[in-house]
Amino acid sequence: MAPQGSDLAASGQPPVLEADGTSASGVLLVSGSWTIETLKDADSQVDQTLKETPSVKQLDLSGLTSLDTSGAWVIIRLLRGLGLELSSATPINPDHVSLFEAVAETNLTAPTTQRNLNFFIALFQKTGEDVVEIYKDIKILAYLAGEIVSCLLKGLIHPRSLRITSIVHHMEHTGLKAVPIVAMMSFLVGAIVAQQGAFQLRKFGAEPFVIDLVGILVLREVGILLTAILVAGRSGSAFTAEIGSMKMREEIDAMRVMGLNIIEVLIAPRVIALIIALPLLGLVANLAGLVGGGVLLWAYSDISLSTYITWLRDAVAINTFLVGVIKAPFMALIIALISCSEGLQVGGSAESLGRRTTAAVVKSIFLMVLVDGLFAIFFAAIGF
């Protein structure tokens, strides 16, 4: 930025930093040119002044002839070194106000770390910060959930507000395109469960009972849980990255200025699409897991496919299948809400985007496992 001031010809004057000899009130006089050309001299004078640790209460900028961002930063550094605020520098030329304000806002000093904190105090401090962060997350999730319910109720009156095209688009990306990887993963997991079960039960002559193990485990727990974890890593991280990138590029602010409802345009279609897609992916995962178990037992234990299907039909009841189906929409809601909320909290840096994307996946998986455990306890308690 070019030097600012009423007398640009004075930009060649050397910078001067000296105490006011006519006053004992602690005033430092700043005069001359404080620009990139005189930066080295100005910086050395500031260092010398800070080493002397004078009792200064005010900077007198009346003699300042020209200034650019480099000089403004040196003066701000002087003020901070003296423990003063920008208001202690007077009078400020109106042409220089914007420079000082911009530098003061963008060049904040890094917070000092208290290395001498007691270990237990530091532990309690970190715990308190985490509790506050959890409280903020709960507020954001509650707000998003309420807004989505409002959008759904509004959609009953005005169906076009649901943005069916956007919902179908996200269903394709989160559901249809995830079918191959979900089917392959579930097939392999079902085969692994069957192999390990057959290997262990063979010692007791109860190898056919591995069919019960595969059927119940895949349908009640493994199928939907592994599918939800895969969706959290695949689609949840994509939601956070997409919304976070829009936040960084200020596209969300532009949409608000245009009068668009961010929840209705960005959040609701993703949530609805995932709630529909995840149960369907769970069905694919269950089928692939059972097929994987059957193929493995046919090759490893000489159990024919017809015997496998007959035994499986007797071992698995309808409630075993319904347990996984009931849990799927709740897991989808957790993934979508957390991913979108983390995306809305992205700051202006790539580091913030990466941190929030990681947090979205970790939080989603943790809460899904927690909810799955609660469902398991509940269904066991009611005998379902």
Side-chain angles (χ1 to χ4, degrees), residues 10-17 30-35 38 41-42 45 63-65:
S11 60
Q13 297 180 5
V16 178
L17 182 62
V30 179
S31 59
S33 173
W34 291 65
T35 62
T38 61
D41 189 13
Q45 291 190 51
L64 191 63
T65 57

Side-chain angles (χ1 to χ4, degrees), residues 342-353:
E342 292 293 331
L344 292 175
Q345 298 179 69
V346 170
S349 65
E351 187 269 339
S352 174
L353 178 61

Side-chain angles (χ1 to χ4, degrees), residues 186-207:
S186 298
F187 180 89
L188 295 176
V189 170
I192 292 171
V193 170
Q195 191 275 331
Q196 289 296 310
F199 178 76
Q200 298 298 330
L201 294 178
R202 179 178 295 175
K203 302 175 184 179
F204 307 98
E207 196 168 355

Side-chain angles (χ1 to χ4, degrees), residues 136-336:
K136 292 180 180 178
D137 288 341
I138 292 175
K139 285 205 309 182
I140 294 174
L141 293 176
Y143 168 76
L144 290 180
E147 287 293 327
I148 289 170
V149 171
S150 176
C151 289
L152 292 176
L153 294 178
K154 180 181 177 182
L156 297 177
I157 303 175
H158 305 286
R160 294 185 62 183
S161 66
L162 289 178
R163 300 181 179 268
I164 303 300
T165 303
S166 180
I167 294 175
V168 174
H169 168 77
H170 290 297
M171 285 180 61
E172 178 187 2
H173 283 272
T174 60
L176 185 60
K177 292 186 177 181
V179 168
I181 185 64
V182 168
M184 178 64 70
M185 180 191 68
S186 298
F187 180 89
L188 295 176
V189 170
I192 292 171
V193 170
Q195 191 275 331
Q196 289 296 310
F199 178 76
Q200 298 298 330
L201 294 178
R202 179 178 295 175
K203 302 175 184 179
F204 307 98
E207 196 168 355
F209 287 98
V210 73
I211 301 175
D212 300 64
L213 173 66
V214 172
I216 296 174
L217 190 60
V218 168
L219 293 180
R220 288 184 71 99
E221 298 294 337
V222 174
I224 190 61
L225 183 60
L226 289 182
T227 302
I229 292 175
L230 181 64
V231 169
R234 182 182 180 275
S235 302
S237 60
F239 288 173
T240 304
E242 290 166 0
I243 297 176
S245 298
M246 295 180 68
K247 183 80 178 300
M248 291 173 59
R249 294 195 297 263
E250 300 182 355
E251 295 178 18
I252 292 181
D253 295 332
M255 294 172 67
R256 288 196 177 101
V257 171
M258 295 168 61
L260 298 176
N261 187 337
I262 302 303
I263 306 297
E264 182 179 312
V265 175
L266 296 179
I267 311 300
R270 287 174 166 83
V271 174
I272 296 173
L274 202 59
I275 290 177
I276 297 174
L278 187 57
L280 298 178
L281 285 175
L283 297 179
V284 174
N286 291 340
L287 179 61
L290 295 177
V291 171
V295 171
L296 189 284
L297 292 176
W298 170 73
Y300 184 77
S301 300
D302 293 329
I303 297 177
S304 65
L305 294 181
S306 59
T307 303
Y308 175 79
I309 294 174
T310 302
W311 193 299
L312 186 65
R313 187 183 303 162
D314 296 333
V316 176
I318 186 64
N319 65 305
T320 305
F321 168 75
L322 291 178
V323 166
V325 175
I326 292 172
K327 292 188 292 188
F330 293 93
M331 293 184 175
L333 184 63
I334 290 172
I335 296 171

Side-chain angles (χ1 to χ4, degrees), residues 27-76:
V27 177
L28 270 179
L29 299 177
V30 179
S31 59
S33 173
W34 291 65
T35 62
I36 186 66
E37 290 83 3
T38 61
L39 180 62
K40 184 176 181 180
D41 189 13
D43 208 38
S44 62
Q45 291 190 51
V46 168
D47 289 338
Q48 184 63 30
T49 301
L50 294 178
K51 287 180 181 179
E52 297 173 356
T53 61
S55 177
V56 178
K57 299 180 180 178
Q58 183 179 356
L59 291 188
D60 186 352
L61 304 182
S62 58
L64 191 63
T65 57
S66 57
L67 182 74
D68 64 4
T69 50
S70 300
W73 167 236
V74 175
I75 294 176
I76 292 294

